[in-house]
């Protein structure tokens, strides 16, 4: 089976949106996709077949304090407003096509982190509404600026803490050939989280989560090495930016969002011939 693996990275996800829009516009079909954090919140539009939606609503509402603001963080505990981002926008302002999501046979998974165990939790989404939106929110709920999301008896936060690039998970499901969209350049090496001392204080009730944060850079760099090996083997096609994207986690400038989105489009269009060849060889 052919899979699509989408890394997170907050607003670095605009790069991913540019890449995936090019793929959708060129009728690239996958058997399944898995998204982490922004890769989940933005990647769901692949299953609903809505190219252009991510850049459209992000640029339209990036200045709205209900969307992302310090006021929202202080008032609700979430930097990105729960009700506005996961209900008002998809249900009223820029409607998410739940029927298309439901009818598309492509499987779609998201990754969250269980704060009590520090381990990843994988969830297959099929409806594109209701609780599915809460799973997307949990996957994208960054520590320190988001409330813990409780679902199925679990306490959940950002999936990137425990499994930033879930290639091995997808291979374990039988996706033997995969396209991975990363949001860091090829020479990137992750360093230890500089906010770890703060998390040790604010998340002290969850020592396993703190351990996962402390070790994340080690696991992330090991995953990158594994991806390079699978890339050399010819079983993974990797799409990544050429240079650091240099965009903030809560970018409010529409021009900056468009810049990173267009970088994704440029790379997507450039690699399209090789991507089609890889997919052709996968059939």
């Amino acid at each position: 089976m052919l899979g699509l693996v989408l890394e997170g990275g907050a607003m670095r996800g605009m790069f991913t949106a540019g890449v995936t829009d090019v793929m959708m516009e060129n009728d690239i079909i996958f058997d399944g996709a898995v998204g982490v954090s922004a890769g989940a919140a933005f990647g769901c539009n692949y299953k609903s077949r809505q190219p252009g939606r991510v850049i459209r609503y992000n640029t339209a509402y990036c200045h709205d304090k209900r969307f992302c603001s310090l006021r929202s963080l202080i008032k609700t505990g979430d930097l990105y407003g729960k009700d506005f981002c996961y209900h008002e926008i998809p249900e009223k302002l820029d409607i998410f096509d739940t029927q298309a999501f439901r009818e598309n046979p492509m499987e779609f998974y998201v990754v969250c982190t269980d704060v009590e165990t520090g381990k990843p939790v994988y969830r297959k989404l099929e409806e594109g509404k209701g609780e599915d939106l809460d799973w997307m929110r949990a996957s994208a709920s960054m520590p320190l600026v988001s409330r813990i999301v409780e679902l199925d008896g679990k306490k959940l936060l950002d999936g990137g803490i425990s499994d930033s690039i879930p290639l091995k998970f997808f291979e374990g499901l039988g996706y033997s050939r995969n396209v991975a969209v990363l949001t860091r350049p090829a020479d990137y090496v992750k360093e230890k989280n500089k906010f770890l001392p703060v998390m040790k204080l604010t998340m002290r009730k969850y020592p396993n989560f703190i351990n996962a944060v402390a070790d994340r850079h080690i696991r992330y760099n090991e995953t990158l090495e594994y991806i390079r090996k699978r890339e050399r083997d010819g079983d993974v096609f990797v799409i990544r930016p050429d240079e650091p994207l240099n965009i903030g986690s809560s970018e409010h400038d529409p021009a900056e969002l468009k810049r990173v989105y267009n970088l994704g489009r440029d790379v997507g269009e450039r690699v399209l011939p090789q991507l089609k060849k890889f997919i052709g060889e996968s059939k």
Side-chain angles (χ1 to χ4, degrees):
M1 293 191 294
L2 180 66
L4 175 63
V5 180
L6 303 174
E7 184 182 14
M11 284 303 143
R12 294 197 312 275
M14 299 310 299
F15 173 85
T16 302
V19 172
T20 54
D21 277 0
V22 168
M23 292 195 294
M24 280 191 278
E25 290 161 6
N26 284 273
D27 296 320
I28 304 297
I29 304 297
F30 295 93
D31 298 303
V34 56
V36 182
S37 194
F42 296 166
C44 61
N45 294 279
Y46 212 106
K47 184 170 169 62
S48 66
R49 304 300 291 180
Q50 290 178 278
R53 183 172 178 271
V54 173
I55 185 64
R56 186 173 62 240
Y57 76 73
N58 273 278
T59 52
Y61 301 110
C62 60
H63 286 305
D64 195 311
K65 295 188 184 303
R66 297 171 297 172
F67 183 72
C68 175
S69 67
L70 182 60
R71 187 179 78 174
S72 175
L73 178 61
I74 294 171
K75 186 176 179 180
T76 71
D78 292 311
L79 182 66
Y80 285 87
K82 167 190 170 183
D83 292 334
F84 190 73
C85 293
Y86 294 95
H87 294 286
E88 189 85 4
I89 289 176
E91 294 170 3
K92 298 178 182 178
L93 300 176
D94 197 322
I95 295 174
F96 183 65
D97 193 339
T98 56
Q99 181 176 347
F101 185 95
R102 186 173 60 252
E103 293 177 353
N104 187 340
M106 183 185 85
E107 295 185 325
F108 185 71
Y109 292 82
V110 300
V111 186
C112 304
T113 298
D114 186 324
V115 300
E116 295 183 313
T117 66
K119 301 296 184 182
V121 176
Y122 306 97
R123 179 78 171 194
K124 182 179 178 181
L125 306 185
E126 299 180 294
E127 298 298 321
K129 60 183 178 180
E131 194 174 86
D132 279 5
L133 296 176
D134 290 329
W135 280 95
M136 293 179 203
R137 177 168 63 92
S139 181
S141 290
M142 299 179 289
L144 300 180
V145 294
S146 306
R147 290 173 293 175
I148 291 172
V149 180
E150 297 194 27
L151 292 165
D152 281 3
K154 297 179 174 62
K155 297 180 178 181
L156 306 169
L157 281 175
D158 186 356
I161 298 298
S162 54
D163 194 355
S164 297
I165 311 169
L167 175 61
K168 287 185 178 180
F169 163 72
F170 237 32
E171 289 178 336
L173 292 182
Y175 288 90
S176 56
R177 303 271 286 177
N178 291 282
V179 175
V181 183
L182 310 185
T183 58
R184 301 284 196 181
D187 61 354
Y188 177 73
V189 177
K190 182 173 280 297
E191 298 180 355
K192 197 165 188 175
N193 193 314
K194 62 183 179 181
F195 294 110
L196 182 59
V198 181
M199 289 195 202
K200 284 183 177 179
L201 178 63
T202 60
M203 300 293 291
R204 59 187 178 276
K205 291 171 54 180
Y206 306 105
N208 291 324
F209 181 80
I210 293 172
N211 290 337
V213 173
D215 296 340
R216 183 188 180 190
H217 64 295
I218 298 172
R219 286 178 282 106
Y220 184 92
N221 293 329
E222 289 175 346
T223 298
L224 288 182
E225 187 54 43
Y226 178 75
I227 289 172
R228 293 185 190 105
K229 179 183 182 302
R230 300 297 286 145
E231 190 177 14
R232 291 193 297 269
D233 291 342
D235 294 317
V236 176
F237 187 92
V238 181
I239 303 174
R240 52 169 73 88
D242 300 321
E243 303 290 341
L245 296 174
N246 296 324
I247 187 169
S249 298
S250 55
E251 183 59 62
H252 294 288
D253 184 351
E256 276 296 286
L257 297 173
K258 290 177 182 177
R259 176 185 67 82
V260 174
Y261 171 79
N262 286 329
L263 285 174
R265 288 197 64 93
D266 291 345
V267 172
E269 289 168 355
R270 188 181 74 214
V271 304
L272 191 59
Q274 301 99 296
L275 175 61
K276 288 182 176 179
K277 183 174 183 292
F278 174 84
I279 290 174
E281 293 170 351
S282 302
K283 296 179 179 179

